[in-house]
Amino acid sequence: MKILKNSLLLLSVAVLSSCNVQKEKEAVSLKDSYKNDFYIGTALSADQIEEKNAKEDSLIVKQFNAITAENIMKSMYVHPEKDKYDFALTDKFIAYGKKNKMFIHGHTLIWHSQLAPWMQKIKDSTEMKAFMKEHITTIVSKYKGQVDSWDVVNEALNEDGTLRKSIFLDKLGEKYLVDAFKLAAAADPKVDLYYNDYNNEEPAKRAGNIALIKKIKAGGGKIDGVGIQAHWKLAYPSLEEIEKSILEYSALGIKVAFTELDISVLPNPKDFSGADVNQKFEGDPKMNPYPEKLPDSVQLKLAERYASIFKLFLKHKDKISRVTFWGVHDGQSWLNDWPIKGRTNYPLLFDKNLQPKKAYNSVIQLKETKQ
Ligand code: 9MR
């Protein structure tokens, strides 16, 4: 009888503890695992902001504590006509972030791309100056104290580190950069202000970016951080260049954020010599090798790549404010349609069915083994 009682006891202890392990597993999330390190963010589509899919919504709320709007805050949507702003979706975005106690990042104020057609017709410096002042002041003031950080200027640099010949540079000269930061700071003195770009971990562009940040500071602009977009590949950029970037940017006394992280696993047209991007490759099976499923071997490579990147981020967590993924799950990624339309890419931590991938486990495990 006693033996039976003891074995029953042992059995129930075992069942209970395996339930606990299961519960713990379910409770684990990116945002909780990294809560003492940096924010873990995601970019939201319009549908996600409107909570159209309950499953996606619970995944977002469970895993992430920072949000960026993937598109709806860009000029063409928010300021479609000279005298008309459309804040319907941006208001919802802010409300969503507040409701879920998330860090809210504003993307983006001054960007040459996704401009409204009327903006592209701005003809001289007077008009451009007036536009910048009105646009930045209106948007930043409206969300003063609600948006936590802004991308004030996005993608102003060429790959060689020189200034991109954008409509802003064309009409105003390089002073537009410091002016943009001054205008944003005047509208909300407490919000964090960022310069955001891609490939700015590469040496030449990084040097240009550092010079730019110094100029903004020297000109009296307030700049609090640099956004490294981090649209990366399995093999590029090297961890060395990423680490150098973290160190060199933070030596300027600013925060470093990784703002649009994703890792493409597909071949790049540029890998094929003499290749023109686009059309030519559409529908070419060689360029879309995994239309149904990512092979385990590549899944593993992606997991290893993510683990090594997050290991580096953790090493420098005192310098990193936020790591944001460019999308919630693979199904919504812009990389399914760029640089070639209609491919199936696998760049994020959750698959198109919202299931965590090996890469998710590797990022979580890094914290479990560390603590
Ligand atoms: O992910 C965005 C995609 O849905 C848009 O069509 C595209 C338009 O330019 O912008 C994408 O987001 C970009 C971001 O705003 C700035 N950095 C590069 C991102 C990927 O292109």
Side-chain angles (χ1 to χ4, degrees):
M1 188 62 186
K2 203 168 173 193
I3 293 176
L4 185 66
K5 252 192 189 165
N6 279 346
S7 3
L8 272 175
L9 193 70
L10 276 178
L11 187 69
S12 53
V13 167
V15 167
L16 265 178
S17 71
S18 92
C19 280
N20 283 342
V21 169
Q22 186 56 32
K23 261 196 188 149
E24 264 169 38
K25 273 233 152 84
E26 279 167 18
V28 166
S29 69
L30 294 166
K31 71 172 183 190
D32 289 340
S33 298
Y34 284 81
K35 69 172 183 290
N36 297 324
D37 307 312
F38 33 73
Y39 286 110
I40 300 276
T42 188
L44 301 182
S45 66
D47 282 356
Q48 288 163 341
I49 291 165
E50 298 204 82
E51 298 169 60
K52 291 211 171 142
N53 179 320
K55 280 194 184 141
E56 281 185 25
D57 192 50
S58 55
L59 179 72
I60 294 163
V61 170
K62 179 177 168 188
Q63 296 289 343
F64 303 100
N65 53 17
I67 49 169
T68 305
E70 185 178 0
N71 282 300
I72 56 109
M73 262 194 178
K74 294 172 182 174
S75 312
M76 66 184 284
Y77 299 111
V78 90
H79 195 175
E81 286 164 40
K82 192 161 192 263
D83 300 314
K84 190 181 152 223
Y85 285 87
D86 185 349
F87 288 125
L89 274 172
T90 50
D91 282 352
K92 283 189 184 167
F93 170 69
I94 303 289
Y96 184 89
K98 280 200 203 163
K99 178 172 84 176
N100 295 305
K101 300 190 171 52
M102 290 161 158
F103 180 95
I104 301 175
H105 180 70
H107 174 77
T108 172
L109 295 166
I110 297 296
W111 188 27
H112 64 278
S113 186
Q114 287 182 288
L115 288 170
W118 73 269
M119 295 169 189
Q120 292 163 24
K121 291 187 199 126
I122 292 178
K123 53 181 186 313
D124 58 22
S125 63
T126 316
E127 225 186 299
M128 182 56 90
K129 240 185 161 170
F131 156 71
M132 274 194 31
K133 182 164 187 204
E134 206 263 339
H135 181 81
I136 294 177
T137 310
T138 305
I139 299 172
V140 177
S141 312
K142 175 167 166 64
Y143 295 122
K144 182 176 177 180
Q146 304 181 67
V147 162
D148 297 289
S149 59
W150 277 106
D151 286 334
V152 178
V153 179
N154 195 40
E155 303 174 6
L157 292 164
N158 294 315
E159 297 308 282
D160 65 359
T162 57
L163 287 180
R164 183 194 287 274
K165 295 218 177 318
S166 68
I167 187 167
F168 309 109
L169 186 71
D170 181 40
K171 304 292 178 232
L172 297 173
E174 66 177 56
K175 202 173 164 288
Y176 88 87
L177 291 150
V178 66
D179 284 350
F181 280 85
K182 282 184 180 169
L183 288 164
D188 185 353
K190 289 198 190 139
V191 71
D192 268 0
L193 303 179
Y194 278 74
Y195 173 78
N196 191 50
D197 215 327
Y198 57 85
N199 292 351
N200 51 348
E201 71 283 340
E202 296 292 334
K205 199 162 181 179
R206 180 168 75 228
N209 203 153
I210 288 172
L212 175 62
I213 292 164
K214 286 184 176 163
K215 264 192 204 159
I216 292 169
K217 287 188 162 207
K222 174 174 115 72
I223 175 162
D224 304 285
V226 64
I228 297 176
Q229 291 183 7
H231 293 296
W232 290 339
K233 311 269 168 12
L234 284 174
Y236 317 98
S238 68
L239 292 178
E240 288 72 25
E241 293 306 340
I242 301 172
E243 182 161 38
K244 274 191 202 160
S245 303
I246 298 172
L247 295 172
E248 290 181 20
Y249 285 125
S250 70
L252 301 172
I254 56 168
K255 298 171 190 172
V256 179
F258 292 89
T259 55
E260 305 182 12
L261 177 58
D262 49 24
I263 297 174
S264 172
V265 300
L266 298 184
N268 191 324
K270 284 188 199 135
D271 301 340
F272 295 79
S273 63
D276 255 340
V277 189
N278 276 336
Q279 263 68 351
K280 202 165 154 191
F281 293 106
E282 260 172 50
D284 180 346
K286 177 169 91 244
M287 301 307 284
N288 188 23
Y290 322 119
E292 303 302 335
K293 182 181 176 290
L294 191 63
D296 285 346
S297 59
V298 191
Q299 199 79 259
L300 191 64
K301 272 192 197 154
L302 182 70
E304 286 167 357
R305 175 74 165 148
Y306 264 115
S308 60
I309 287 169
F310 270 79
K311 202 167 166 198
L312 181 65
F313 289 170
L314 282 172
K315 181 175 169 196
H316 295 293
K317 62 181 183 182
D318 57 321
K319 305 169 191 73
I320 296 174
S321 51
R322 175 170 58 93
V323 176
T324 287
F325 293 88
W326 206 238
V328 177
H329 62 88
D330 288 343
Q332 85 179 94
S333 172
W334 71 293
L335 290 169
N336 293 315
D337 284 310
W338 191 92
I340 300 170
K341 274 201 163 49
R343 297 198 293 179
T344 309
N345 212 330
Y346 303 81
L348 298 165
L349 300 189
F350 297 94
D351 69 19
K352 66 175 194 301
N353 300 315
L354 311 183
Q355 294 309 303
K357 295 155 64 179
K358 269 199 176 73
Y360 171 86
N361 297 334
S362 75
V363 169
I364 293 283
Q365 265 162 25
L366 216 49
K367 286 298 297 184
E368 287 175 347
T369 47
K370 268 203 93 159
Q371 284 168 346

